[in-house]
């Protein structure tokens, strides 16, 4: 027979079990309680995501090598940030039912103003695989020039055939403005229907065979996630108007209508006297189509960005960048225990000379080589001279001879 003491112990045990049970129910109730939107958002932000360098950090890095084009740099930085973030977090986005998107971009700007160079620098900053395709050399068959499959094979090889790397790679389509109808009827089929058709498929997203592997299997590159950046001057040739003529004509008509309706002669004169930078800044999709670019092809680019024309101040800054030439010559002189001194006035002279050329900033390396070649020739054998100076008089004498 249980004793009173034993009965008490049993009662205490039952009471304790009841308390535990009630406690567990509260826990279950709390766990099963639906989270508020605020709590859900808080939980999502705690999930691990693969982070990418922020747009402001990308721009800061770009500022070290790319002069000017501040608005273009910011827009490209945001576009690349979004593109790369989505691809690095693809699985998480798909779990939430989100679709991956990409923005192909068309850049217009004068030669040597930084279209291709800026995109290349961003790819290097973000460690992305990329290739540069010269559209002027392409044809539909490959007989008159290269073909798209050959070019994409280079991207496949650059990514070592890795599908994940291809998904976050970039194709820079240089001289894309050459993809307009060929008036001469001879030469490469650049701008012909065959090339346009191939480009449309490539930009839209398709699987393209780029050859065979060592073991005989097909090598296929999927362009669905590849970002395409088109670059062109849209200045054309002698056979038709360039893009600036088209924009100027459009803006002049608009100014004339205004003058006839509401304004006087002075305002009309002001309206038709456009700064060249204003012209470039106002290039629209309609202007590009009037230039002769395929509307279907243009439709595959979600953004058209117009680069500014660089100023004299911009070119002076470009000339002063270490990577642009003088620094490597100064290093060479130092190896021989000598100094190469550059006068401050030299940079402005170089800047003005760059602005005279059609290639603009691209001409800088050639100018620096012209100035330094005679000095290197003398420096190696001249044991007495320790310091060499490039000043205004020296630059003018060398460049006058070159002319």
């Amino acid at each position: 027979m249980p004793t009173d003491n034993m009965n008490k112990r049993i009662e205490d045990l039952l009471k304790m079990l009841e308390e535990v049970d009630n406690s567990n129910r509260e826990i279950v109730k709390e766990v099963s309680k639906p989270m508020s939107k605020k709590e859900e958002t808080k939980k999502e932000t705690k999930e691990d995501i693969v982070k990418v360098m922020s747009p402001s950090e990308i721009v800061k890095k770009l500022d070290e090598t790319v002069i000017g084009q501040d608005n273009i740099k910011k827009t490209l930085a945001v576009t690349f940030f979004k593109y790369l973030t989505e691809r690095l977090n693809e699985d998480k986005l798909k779990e939430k039912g989100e679709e991956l998107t990409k923005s192909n971009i068309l850049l217009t700007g004068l030669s040597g103003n930084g279209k291709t160079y800026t995109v290349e620098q961003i790819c290097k900053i973000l460690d992305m695989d990329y290739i540069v395709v010269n559209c002027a050399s392409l044809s539909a068959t490959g007989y008159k020039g290269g073909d798209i499959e050959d070019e994409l094979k280079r991207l496949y090889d650059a990514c070592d055939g890795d599908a994940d790397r291809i998904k976050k790679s970039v194709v820079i389509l240089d001289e894309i403005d050459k993809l307009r109808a060929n008036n001469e009827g001879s030469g490469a089929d650049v701008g012909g229907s065959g090339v346009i058709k191939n480009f449309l498929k490539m930009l839209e997203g398709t699987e393209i065979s780029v050859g065979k592997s060592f073991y005989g299997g097909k090598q296929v590159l999927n362009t669905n996630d590849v970002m395409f950046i088109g670059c062109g001057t849209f200045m054309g040739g002698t056979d038709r108007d360039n893009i600036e003529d088209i924009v100027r004509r459009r803006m002049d008509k608009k100014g004339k209508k205004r003058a006839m309706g509401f304004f006087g002669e002075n305002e009309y004169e002001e309206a038709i006297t456009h700064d060249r930078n204003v012209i470039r800044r106002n290039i629209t999709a309609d202007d590009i189509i009037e230039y002769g670019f395929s509307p279907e092809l243009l439709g595959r680019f979600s953004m058209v960005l117009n680069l500014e024309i660089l100023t004299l101040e911009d070119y002076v800054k470009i000339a002063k960048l270490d990577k642009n030439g003088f620094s490597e010559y100064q290093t060479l002189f130092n190896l021989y225990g000598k100094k190469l001194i550059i006068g401050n006035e030299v940079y402005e002279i170089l800047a003005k000379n760059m602005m005279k050329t059609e290639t603009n900033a691209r001409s800088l390396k050639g100018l620096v080589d012209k100035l330094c070649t005679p000095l290197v020739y003398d420096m190696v054998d001249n044991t007495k001279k320790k310091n060499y100076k490039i000043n205004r008089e020296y630059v003018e004498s060398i460049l006058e001879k070159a002319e």
Side-chain angles (χ1 to χ4, degrees), residues 87-206:
R87 269 131 200 92
L88 290 173
N89 296 279
E90 180 180 358
D91 292 339
K92 288 184 178 66
L93 289 172
K94 285 184 176 178
E95 281 173 15
K96 298 178 185 205
E98 300 283 346
E99 286 187 14
L100 295 183
T101 60
K102 67 169 180 177
S103 297
N104 295 326
I105 297 173
L106 183 61
L107 298 176
T108 79
L110 296 181
S111 179
N113 271 220
K115 300 180 298 295
T116 303
Y117 181 72
T118 303
V119 178
E120 285 182 301
Q121 293 305 305
I122 295 177
C123 290
K124 289 173 182 176
I125 289 167
L126 296 174
D127 196 24
M128 296 169 69
D129 297 295
Y130 73 94
I131 59 167
V132 179
V133 176
N134 184 353
C135 295
S137 68
L138 294 176
S139 71
T141 62
Y143 291 114
K144 303 291 184 184
D147 59 30
I148 291 171
E149 286 78 10
D150 289 340
E151 298 296 341
L152 290 179
K153 176 70 166 71
R154 292 198 293 120
L155 179 64
Y156 185 91
D157 292 339
C159 298
D160 297 324
D162 187 329
D164 286 333
R165 284 170 61 184
I166 291 170
K167 276 185 177 181
K168 46 182 186 286
S169 62
V170 178
V171 174
I172 303 171
L173 301 169
D174 203 17
E175 295 195 73
I176 196 169
D177 51 316
K178 301 299 186 290
L179 295 180
R180 63 175 183 176
N182 180 20
N183 283 350
E184 288 76 18
S186 61
D189 183 32
V190 177
S193 59
V195 172
I196 298 296
K197 188 178 178 182
N198 289 340
F199 262 78
L200 288 173
K201 286 195 300 183
M202 178 181 73
L203 292 168
E204 190 68 33
T206 187

Side-chain angles (χ1 to χ4, degrees), residues 209-226:
S209 176
V210 292
K212 291 185 176 180
S213 69
F214 179 77
Y215 301 101
K218 273 189 177 181
Q219 293 178 327
V220 176
L221 186 145
N222 192 320
T223 65
N224 275 308
D225 289 308
V226 176

Side-chain angles (χ1 to χ4, degrees), residues 384-400:
K384 294 180 180 178
K385 196 169 182 179
K386 294 294 180 183
N387 294 331
Y388 289 79
K389 185 166 184 179
I390 295 179
N391 54 22
R392 180 183 295 276
E393 291 73 22
Y394 177 78
V395 172
E396 288 174 351
S397 67
I398 295 295
L399 294 183
E400 278 174 18

Side-chain angles (χ1 to χ4, degrees), residues 55 58-59 62-63 66-80 105-109 113-119 122 229 231 280-281 303-309:
I58 296 171
V59 170
L62 274 177
D63 287 341
V66 179
I67 301 300
Q69 313 299 354
D70 291 341
N71 290 330
I72 298 295
K73 286 189 282 193
K74 287 176 184 177
T75 304
L76 287 176
V78 169
T79 303
F80 271 78
I105 297 173
L106 183 61
L107 298 176
T108 79
N113 271 220
K115 300 180 298 295
T116 303
Y117 181 72
T118 303
V119 178
I122 295 177
I229 311 285
C231 302
R280 297 296 315 187
R281 203 181 296 134
M303 278 193 283
V304 177
L305 302 177
N306 304 313
L307 274 73
E308 297 273 341
I309 297 174

Side-chain angles (χ1 to χ4, degrees), residues 22-36 39:
N22 288 336
S23 178
N24 285 340
R25 284 181 185 176
E26 286 299 319
I27 292 170
V28 170
K29 186 178 177 182
E30 186 65 31
V31 170
S32 60
K33 180 183 174 183
M35 288 189 292
S36 65
E39 289 171 324

Side-chain angles (χ1 to χ4, degrees), residues 303-318:
M303 278 193 283
V304 177
L305 302 177
N306 304 313
L307 274 73
E308 297 273 341
I309 297 174
L310 296 176
T311 65
L312 177 63
E313 185 182 351
D314 291 329
Y315 280 111
V316 170
K317 289 177 182 176
I318 289 168

